[in-house]
Amino acid sequence: MFTSFPVHVQAGYVVLGRRVVAMVKAGGGPWGVSEVEVRRAAAEMSAVEMDRRDLVRIGPFGSALKPEHDEGTLVPWRERISRDLQEAGGPGRPGQGGDARPSHLAGIDWWRLLVQRPHGRTARSWWLPRAVVRLLDAAAHTETQWLHARRARQADTAVTESSDRLGQTRSADGGQTASPDAPAVPLRPYNGELQGQLYSVLGKKPGMARKVAGWACAVCRTAPAAVLDHCHEHGYVRAPVCQSCNTHERPDHLYSNDIRVAGHYTRLFDTQAADWLRHWHRCPGCRARTTLPLAHLAAWTAHVACRPQRPTHRDARSSRGRKPCGALRVSWTGSHHAPHACVLTVVVDFCPSGEHRVLAHVSYREAAEQFRAWLAETAPCVAAAAGPDRIDDLPAQSRPVIADTSGDGLALF
């Protein structure tokens, strides 16, 4: 029921979805929680729509298992899941055998929803539905804000009533409350407060992580923000986003100049194209040049521009009787430091008949021109706000790529 561990009854609360519920002790009996609050939390969780095919990778990302945290210290839920899976040896169910820690997080039996996929020759990657990831992110944010509020109240009480700070207060129904249930601090919508600022400068400012956590994700607008998304080609901050959206738009690199064009690009360039295009053009460099970073432009070229050239094969299970051939992949020659010299190569892998390989060779200039024409049709408001006349202080040279040194891979793009 928590997003951190170890947890004891003295913690005074449980986390159910986005709701923190205080524990009570009625009539000298065992500790428990209010049935009314539990039913409210259950109703909120039941209302969450989940597509079990829309998955987000939650690990592992190459970092070693971290040492145990001190009691009372919040542990990110991704780290907790990674620890449970690694200590259980992967396929075994966490919480069984010698490990007494529960497998539930914020009332969610994540193990039943976990998907494991091959990653490399021997390793496996772990995936959860996007709705579950957003719910767990929201639960962790709510718990953090609730604990901050409780500590602030305890500090105020210590000044005036230090002798009674550890005493218990009797609730209206005759029970004892371990700690009052304060509402979580509401998330602030992002309104461009960081527009035009460089990630290399802003990311080093003290207290920036806490400031970011106070915003709602600038893309989905529902989950709490966790990272500052930025353009690696120009170095500008785009906006604070949640881990789910940050992972969703991250290119699936095989190599530094080679990416898979998987199904998640359907959301980026089709169903939610206007939202993502607006987000990407928060970068002054991309907006002035009416383009996208090289990796995203390459993926767009394969997914959208080369769609008519992609062969199809018979498929009796499809309503149209045919399905697209194989899996798309796009690579490029040259460097993002000089993108105009790049040539994009769109390839089909894993073709059933083995007869289709290279679909197209597209120069960067041609791809950029096709993107601008498509942008004007798909998101005219975004296209109208783009162009060199919209930016007066744009540097002549592109900013260098900001290296990702976090080790977990989640801060890319």
Side-chain angles (χ1 to χ4, degrees):
M1 300 300 186
F2 302 83
T3 63
S4 64
F5 67 88
V7 178
H8 306 287
V9 79
Q10 287 84 357
Y13 70 96
V14 295
V15 181
L16 299 172
R18 296 183 175 90
R19 185 178 292 269
V20 174
V21 180
M23 300 183 68
V24 296
K25 186 177 183 181
W31 288 95
V33 292
S34 169
E35 182 179 354
V36 174
E37 293 297 323
V38 172
R39 290 186 179 276
R40 288 176 180 173
E44 292 176 357
M45 295 172 65
S46 298
V48 175
E49 296 182 357
M50 180 179 64
D51 183 359
R52 301 191 68 158
R53 297 170 299 177
D54 184 13
L55 301 175
V56 174
R57 183 182 174 188
I58 61 169
F61 293 104
S63 56
L65 189 64
K66 298 181 180 179
E68 289 282 347
H69 289 244
D70 295 333
E71 182 174 335
T73 302
L74 289 182
V75 179
W77 63 265
R78 289 174 176 81
E79 182 180 329
R80 175 176 175 178
I81 289 179
S82 297
R83 178 175 297 169
D84 283 345
L85 288 171
Q86 291 181 34
E87 290 183 353
R93 181 178 177 87
Q96 294 182 350
D99 188 356
R101 286 195 295 267
S103 62
H104 286 67
L105 288 174
I108 301 171
D109 190 2
W110 56 267
W111 177 257
R112 296 182 61 185
L113 303 170
L114 185 74
V115 175
Q116 299 190 56
R117 293 177 175 176
H119 184 67
R121 294 185 177 179
T122 58
R124 301 183 70 83
S125 58
W126 308 320
W127 302 70
L128 281 176
R130 185 174 305 277
V132 174
V133 172
R134 287 179 173 171
L135 187 58
L136 288 173
D137 282 339
H141 174 80
T142 301
E143 182 178 18
T144 301
Q145 296 296 324
W146 191 89
L147 288 174
H148 287 168
R150 185 177 69 171
R151 289 168 187 158
R153 292 194 304 274
Q154 290 176 343
D156 292 341
T157 304
V159 175
T160 57
E161 303 177 13
S162 57
S163 60
D164 299 329
R165 182 178 56 179
L166 299 179
Q168 295 176 331
T169 60
R170 188 165 299 276
S171 62
D173 59 357
Q176 293 176 326
T177 305
S179 58
D181 185 10
V185 178
L187 297 173
R188 294 178 289 112
Y190 178 72
N191 296 313
E193 291 85 345
L194 307 179
Q195 183 176 354
Q197 300 197 45
L198 291 174
Y199 177 80
S200 58
V201 176
L202 202 60
K204 297 177 182 178
K205 289 187 176 181
M208 182 52 61
R210 178 173 295 183
K211 184 177 181 180
V212 168
W215 271 307
C217 174
V219 178
C220 67
R221 302 180 185 88
T222 57
V227 296
L228 278 179
D229 185 37
H230 60 284
C231 176
H232 277 215
E233 200 157 293
H234 303 104
Y236 290 104
V237 169
R238 294 188 186 119
V241 298
C242 65
Q243 291 283 15
S244 176
C245 290
N246 188 51
T247 303
H248 185 72
E249 69 110 22
R250 178 189 176 195
D252 187 6
H253 280 275
L254 287 170
Y255 305 99
S256 60
N257 64 337
D258 197 328
I259 61 176
R260 300 183 185 92
V261 185
H264 72 280
Y265 283 104
T266 300
R267 176 175 294 184
L268 297 179
F269 295 131
D270 293 329
T271 59
Q272 297 179 4
D275 292 336
W276 283 105
L277 290 167
R278 190 179 301 108
H279 172 68
W280 287 323
H281 272 209
R282 287 186 169 110
C283 168
C286 294
R287 188 168 69 251
R289 293 176 173 87
T290 320
T291 185
L292 295 176
L294 180 56
H296 289 321
L297 182 64
W300 175 88
T301 302
H303 183 79
V304 178
C306 292
R307 183 179 296 164
Q309 304 175 39
R310 187 176 182 182
T312 58
H313 293 280
R314 291 181 180 179
D315 184 12
R317 295 173 296 179
S318 174
S319 59
R320 298 182 179 180
R322 303 189 70 83
K323 66 177 181 179
C325 171
L328 284 178
R329 179 170 55 86
V330 61
S331 61
W332 56 89
T333 59
S335 169
H336 57 264
H337 293 295
H340 289 82
C342 294
V343 175
L344 313 179
T345 301
V346 182
V347 175
V348 172
D349 290 332
F350 311 116
C351 172
S353 62
E355 61 189 62
H356 307 299
R357 293 297 296 171
V358 177
L359 288 187
H361 296 285
V362 185
S363 68
Y364 178 89
R365 293 181 182 273
E366 181 183 354
E369 291 175 359
Q370 292 177 346
F371 171 76
R372 294 181 186 116
W374 175 83
L375 178 66
E377 297 178 358
T378 305
C381 294
V382 177
D389 56 330
R390 303 293 181 177
I391 305 295
D392 297 327
D393 57 348
L394 186 71
Q397 298 293 329
S398 298
R399 302 286 181 178
V401 169
I402 310 301
D404 174 29
T405 58
S406 65
D408 60 4
L410 286 177
L412 287 174
F413 292 91

